[in-house]
Amino acid sequence: MTQTDLPVHVPLATQPLGVLGSLKAARTNLLSILPEIAVRQPMVSGRTGIRWHMIMDPGAIRQVLLEKVDDYPKSRATKNILRPAIGDSLFIAEDAHWRWQRRAAAPVFSHRNVMNLAPVMSAAADRSAARVAAAGDHAVDFLDEMVRTTFDVISDVTFSGEGTFDSDAVHRAIDAYIAEAGKISLLDMLGFPDWIPRPGRLLSGKVVGQMKQVADEAIEARRARGSGDIPDLLDLLLAGEDPETKRSMNTSELRDNLLTFIVAGHETTALTLAWSLYLCAFDQEVQNRARVEVQSVLTGDTATGADVANLPFIRQIVDEALRLYPPAGIISRTAQKHDMLCARDIHPGDTVMIPIYALHRNHMLWDNPNAFRPDRFADRKAVERYAYLPFGDGPRICIGASFAIQEAVIILATLLARFRFNLVPGRQPDPVMILTLRPNDGVWLTAEPV
């Protein structure tokens, strides 16, 4: 199979980069710091200012994410980047502070609540299809379109579309923050103490402060008004409490978690959908097969929550897109104790990375790993648990995973029911990771009505 038979992928490093080379690469595309041997070995170690280890062995990953999760908290660099924007929310908090928030928020994403939100997803998919149809023969950037569509969903399920909260402004503020603050600092790579300021984060943090004030005011207004007939995400969070301690979230805790859900709840799904549409355009046979399934299941031309369970091949496309282009291409932990991973010594303070991008393309774990093959997921039980981690795993697995999958299947099925997607010559997407793995310059496709 030649390179032209494969969907786009990131060229990995074939030579040691050194500190400055690693910094330059990381600030341009974080995935380019990954050594090519990471897709052929179970573990790679080195030193770039601080000791680091990349693990691709499922048993070692299980140890880090499940068996010894308290010994491997999120890395200091990750916390330093995100804390100014989302505080000590579920994504960052550790130990008891994380556990009580997780217990309080878990019912929000129960199967019943997620299914109740399906009509919002179907309505957003329908509006997206209308916009695509209006574009006619013109190419559409489906990254922008999917960001808009999934943001429609998260806005409606968070605030019932009531218009009292400028969610667009929130998204712009956090996006601006991540664009600058999300870049790796030389101080991070050299292991300098957290209290030494990182200039970009100080400057970009000002706009986030204004955004937090807006969010606080919206929360207090809802607290005073009370919930509507059909509770939205904010209502459910306000009503949530730790079943063990009966503790509920105060305004700042609600705000930090709400902002986390708003950003993560649409960004990752938008990326998954954009990559899924690119892959369907890349492989027309897969697209044809998916459309046949959709047309045999849908009673109209918009997918509903009830259709999701009857669209296994659409789900397989989503799963394969998440394998090839995981939104979180690398997750990072800081070892707290001496340990052994793959018979290698781990010291306290070492950075332990799980490069999801390399794990999902590791030749020891996947057959022809760079190829687009949705049938890998025809039997999900045959996929090794810790070889496929688009949502992480262990107690810190993404709380909104079922929400994201349902949304992606509904929107993808709706679009495939109405259009045939084709690549635009000369406009291939370029996978680039700063904080998430995005198609640089968008995903440009044409959409032909079927």
Side-chain angles (χ1 to χ4, degrees):
M1 182 172 285
T2 67
Q3 293 298 305
T4 56
D5 295 324
L6 299 171
V8 294
H9 56 280
V10 179
L12 304 184
T14 56
Q15 299 291 332
L17 297 175
V19 174
L20 293 180
S22 295
L23 177 64
K24 181 180 178 181
R27 291 178 68 85
T28 303
N29 185 355
L30 192 56
L31 293 180
S32 65
I33 71 169
L34 299 179
E36 203 276 336
I37 56 173
V39 298
R40 302 181 186 278
Q41 295 188 8
M43 185 170 178
V44 179
S45 299
R47 180 185 289 274
T48 311
I50 56 177
R51 279 169 49 98
W52 55 261
H53 313 274
M54 296 181 184
I55 52 174
M56 288 67 62
D57 175 71
I61 293 172
R62 176 185 173 90
Q63 194 170 321
V64 170
L65 295 183
L66 179 65
E67 295 167 356
K68 297 185 178 180
V69 63
D70 291 338
D71 294 345
Y72 291 97
K74 287 183 184 287
S75 71
R76 289 186 292 269
T78 299
K79 293 176 183 176
N80 288 344
I81 289 170
L82 295 176
R83 184 174 283 117
I86 58 175
D88 281 318
S89 65
L90 270 171
F91 193 80
I92 290 177
E94 301 286 354
D95 303 324
H97 188 53
W98 169 80
R99 281 189 284 273
W100 87 263
Q101 288 188 83
R102 180 81 180 204
R103 289 193 297 262
V108 173
F109 294 96
S110 68
H111 177 72
R112 177 182 177 183
N113 283 337
V114 170
M115 283 295 293
N116 286 342
L117 298 174
V120 174
M121 300 170 184
S122 298
D126 197 49
R127 292 192 295 272
S128 176
R131 290 192 295 270
V132 172
D137 295 334
H138 296 287
V140 173
D141 179 1
F142 276 90
L143 174 60
D144 279 351
E145 176 55 39
M146 291 301 95
V147 166
R148 179 174 179 179
T149 302
T150 58
F151 205 76
D152 279 353
V153 173
I154 202 66
S155 297
D156 284 350
V157 303
T158 303
F159 292 102
S160 302
E162 64 185 19
T164 59
F165 180 75
D166 190 349
S167 51
D168 284 332
V170 168
H171 180 239
R172 287 194 301 271
I174 293 188
D175 227 25
Y177 177 84
I178 295 303
E180 182 56 39
K183 294 177 181 177
I184 295 294
S185 164
L186 178 61
L187 301 179
D188 294 328
M189 296 193 74
L190 294 176
F192 276 61
D194 299 347
W195 54 264
I196 297 179
R198 274 61 167 174
R201 292 170 204 167
L202 291 176
L203 294 173
S204 54
K206 292 180 180 178
V207 70
V208 173
Q210 297 169 353
M211 173 266 296
K212 287 184 175 183
Q213 183 179 349
V214 173
D216 287 346
E217 291 170 356
I219 290 167
E220 289 301 330
R222 176 64 64 84
R223 201 192 298 271
R225 179 177 67 85
S227 66
D229 294 335
I230 301 176
D232 56 26
L233 183 60
L234 179 54
D235 293 326
L236 292 168
L237 281 173
L238 280 163
E241 64 177 21
D242 181 347
E244 293 187 11
T245 65
K246 305 304 179 185
R247 178 181 176 183
S248 57
M249 295 184 191
N250 60 33
T251 297
S252 64
E253 290 163 340
L254 280 165
R255 172 244 296 153
D256 289 342
N257 280 293
L258 201 60
L259 294 178
T260 300
F261 297 149
I262 288 173
V263 177
H266 88 282
E267 165 88 356
T268 55
T269 311
L271 292 172
T272 302
L273 281 163
W275 286 119
S276 295
L277 288 166
Y278 158 70
L279 290 167
C280 284
F282 176 83
D283 190 329
Q284 291 290 324
E285 289 185 14
V286 166
Q287 185 176 168
N288 290 339
R289 182 177 162 192
R291 187 171 294 106
V292 168
E293 177 182 82
V294 168
Q295 292 174 341
S296 71
V297 171
L298 270 58
T299 54
D301 55 7
T302 301
T304 68
D307 296 322
V308 171
N310 299 315
L311 294 166
F313 192 61
I314 298 296
R315 168 68 189 271
Q316 287 169 223
I317 292 172
V318 171
D319 288 336
E320 179 72 339
L322 284 166
R323 184 187 70 83
L324 288 169
Y325 308 107
I330 302 174
I331 60 177
S332 183
R333 300 289 188 262
T334 300
Q336 302 299 297
K337 298 178 180 179
H338 284 284
D339 199 6
M340 294 282 287
L341 295 173
C342 297
R344 196 167 297 179
D345 283 323
I346 306 297
H347 300 167
D350 284 3
T351 294
V352 176
M353 289 174 275
I354 303 172
I356 307 295
Y357 185 85
L359 174 74
H360 286 182
R361 294 171 182 261
N362 193 285
H363 291 256
M364 299 174 65
L365 302 171
W366 304 91
D367 177 47
N368 200 356
N370 290 318
F372 173 49
R373 294 181 177 175
D375 279 327
R376 297 180 202 274
F377 294 93
D379 178 7
R380 291 188 59 82
K381 293 180 181 178
V383 177
E384 189 167 358
R385 174 74 174 268
Y386 286 87
Y388 179 66
L389 300 171
F391 297 104
D393 208 282
R396 298 200 70 133
I397 191 170
C398 175
I399 197 170
S402 60
F403 178 101
I405 291 294
Q406 175 178 284
E407 181 181 11
V409 169
I410 286 173
I411 294 171
L412 183 59
T414 298
L415 293 175
L416 288 173
R418 304 192 197 187
F419 306 100
R420 173 176 299 282
F421 296 95
N422 294 289
L423 300 176
V424 176
R427 301 205 72 169
Q428 281 197 125
D430 179 21
V432 171
M433 180 181 172
I434 299 298
L435 205 63
T436 53
L437 177 51
R438 288 186 166 203
N440 201 31
D441 298 325
V443 172
W444 290 90
L445 307 172
T446 56
E448 173 189 346
V450 295

